[in-house]
C-alpha cells in the first residue's frame, strides 16, 4: 500500500503569515500533487510536480507556491496567508498515465 | 478544460438497498476513470479504476459503468451497509492532461439502518 504522509495535520495561522505544508511519500512516485477541498467544490488542483526540481501550476495556483526538493518531498507554501485559504489540503502521489493517485490524510488549515 | 458534473450531491438509502451515483464529463480524450471514497477526517481511498476500453467493471458489490458515447460514468453500490456511508468522488484523466485528475464535487452517501 502506497504511503503518503502530511504535516502538520492541523494548523492555525494568522492573516499575512507564512504557512508551509509538507508532504512525504515513500513509494518512489515521480508525480506529486497538492489539492484543496472545499464544500461545494470538491478537490481542486493547486500545484503538481513531475519530479525533484519540477513544479507546475494547477487550476488554482494564485497565492500558493510549491517546492519539490527531492523525490520524496513536496511542499506547499502560502507566503501571505489569507482567510480565503482556510481549507483542507491534500497531497497525493502517483506515476501517472492511468495509474492511481495515492492520497495523504489531509491538513486542516484555518487562517484567522 | 475538462468539466465533470457529479450527482446527486446527497443521497440517503436504506441498508440493503442500492445506491447510484453518476458523473458526466466533457473531454472526449478522457481515458482513465476513477471512483474514490472519503470517510470523515480521512483522505481519499481508491475504490475502482477503469480504462476507456472497459464498459463495465464489477468488484466486491460495486459496479462501474462507462458510456463513452454519452460521456457518462456511474457507480452502483449494491446491498449498501452502514460502512458505505461516506463521500464518493469520481475523477477523470485524459491522455493529454499531463497526469492530472479532474474531480466531481462529490456525493454524500448516508446509509440508514
Amino acid at each position: 500500500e502506497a504511503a503518503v504522509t502530511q504535516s502538520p495535520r492541523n494548523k492555525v495561522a494568522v492573516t499575512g503569515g507564512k504557512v508551509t505544508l509538507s508532504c512525504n511519500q515513500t513509494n518512489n512516485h515521480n508525480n506529486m500533487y497538492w489539492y484543496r477541498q472545499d464544500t461545494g467544490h470538491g478537490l481542486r488542483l493547486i500545484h503538481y510536480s513531475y519530479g525533484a526540481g519540477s513544479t507546475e501550476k494547477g487550476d488554482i495556483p494564485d497565492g500558493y507556491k510549491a517546492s519539490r526538493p527531492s523525490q520524496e518531498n513536496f511542499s506547499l507554501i502560502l507566503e501571505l496567508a489569507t482567510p480565503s485559504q482556510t481549507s483542507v489540503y491534500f497531497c497525493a502521489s502517483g506515476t501517472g498515465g492511468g495509474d492511481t493517485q495515492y492520497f495523504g490524510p489531509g491538513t486542516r488549515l484555518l487562517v484567522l | 478544460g475538462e468539466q465533470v458534473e457529479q450527482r446527486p450531491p446527497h443521497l440517503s438509502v436504506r441498508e440493503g438497498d442500492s445506491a447510484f451515483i453518476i458523473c458526466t464529463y466533457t473531454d472526449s480524450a478522457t481515458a482513465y476513470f476513477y471512483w474514490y471514497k472519503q470517510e470523515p477526517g480521512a483522505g481519499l481511498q481508491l475504490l475502482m479504476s477503469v480504462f476507456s476500453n472497459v464498459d463495465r467493471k464489477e468488484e466486491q458489490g460495486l459496479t462501474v459503468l462507462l458510456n463513452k458515447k454519452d460521456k457518462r460514468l456511474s457507480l452502483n453500490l449494491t446491498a449498501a451497509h452502514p460502512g458505505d456511508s461516506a463521500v464518493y468522488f469520481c475523477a477523470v484523466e485524459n491522455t493529454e492532461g499531463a497526469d492530472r485528475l479532474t474531480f466531481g464535487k462529490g456525493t454524500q452517501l448516508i446509509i440508514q439502518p
Side-chain angles (χ1 to χ4, degrees):
Chain A
E1 180 71 20
V4 180
T5 57
Q6 294 181 230
S7 63
R9 294 294 313 278
N10 294 279
K11 173 74 176 179
V12 179
V14 296
T15 297
K18 182 177 181 178
V19 177
T20 300
L21 307 183
S22 299
C23 179
N24 177 273
Q25 54 102 359
T26 59
N27 306 294
N28 200 32
H29 288 160
N30 287 334
N31 299 350
M32 296 186 75
Y33 308 83
W34 276 107
Y35 298 89
R36 62 178 285 176
Q37 182 179 25
D38 304 286
T39 302
H41 289 281
L43 276 80
R44 293 180 290 174
L45 182 64
I46 305 170
H47 284 288
Y48 60 105
S49 169
Y50 291 124
S54 127
T55 61
E56 306 289 337
K57 293 181 178 180
D59 298 321
I60 52 165
D62 292 346
Y64 302 93
K65 290 171 56 178
S67 175
R68 182 87 182 270
S70 65
Q71 180 81 337
E72 297 80 17
N73 295 292
F74 190 37
S75 297
L76 185 68
I77 302 150
L78 291 68
E79 294 279 5
L80 295 169
T82 68
S84 65
Q85 294 175 313
T86 292
S87 187
V88 181
Y89 291 86
F90 287 97
C91 176
S93 74
T95 56
D99 197 9
T100 189
Q101 292 184 16
Y102 295 89
F103 283 80
T107 294
R108 191 172 296 273
L109 174 64
L110 173 63
V111 182
L112 300 174
Chain B
E2 177 85 81
Q3 303 287 326
V4 178
E5 296 291 329
Q6 182 173 344
R7 60 181 191 273
H10 303 278
L11 180 59
S12 179
V13 303
R14 290 188 176 276
E15 186 174 358
D17 288 348
S18 294
F20 187 76
I21 304 170
I22 189 167
C23 287
T24 57
Y25 58 96
T26 57
D27 193 338
S28 58
T30 301
Y32 310 112
F33 305 86
Y34 308 88
W35 283 100
Y36 285 89
K37 176 183 181 181
Q38 184 182 33
E39 296 180 345
L44 276 69
Q45 172 194 355
L46 179 71
L47 288 177
M48 208 180 300
S49 61
V50 176
F51 290 174
S52 61
N53 60 349
V54 173
D55 294 329
R56 181 188 181 97
K57 187 174 182 179
E58 295 185 45
E59 284 182 1
Q60 298 180 329
L62 302 173
T63 302
V64 171
L65 297 177
L66 177 61
N67 182 325
K68 292 181 286 294
K69 174 177 174 292
D70 295 338
K71 300 189 182 68
R72 188 171 64 234
L73 174 73
S74 66
L75 175 69
N76 190 42
L77 288 81
T78 57
H81 56 84
D84 291 328
S85 293
V87 180
Y88 291 79
F89 292 94
C90 64
V92 305
E93 178 184 355
N94 66 47
T95 55
E96 302 159 2
D99 307 330
R100 294 172 48 166
L101 294 180
T102 303
F103 283 85
K105 293 183 178 180
T107 295
Q108 173 78 60
L109 176 62
I110 296 173
I111 309 302
Q112 296 180 337

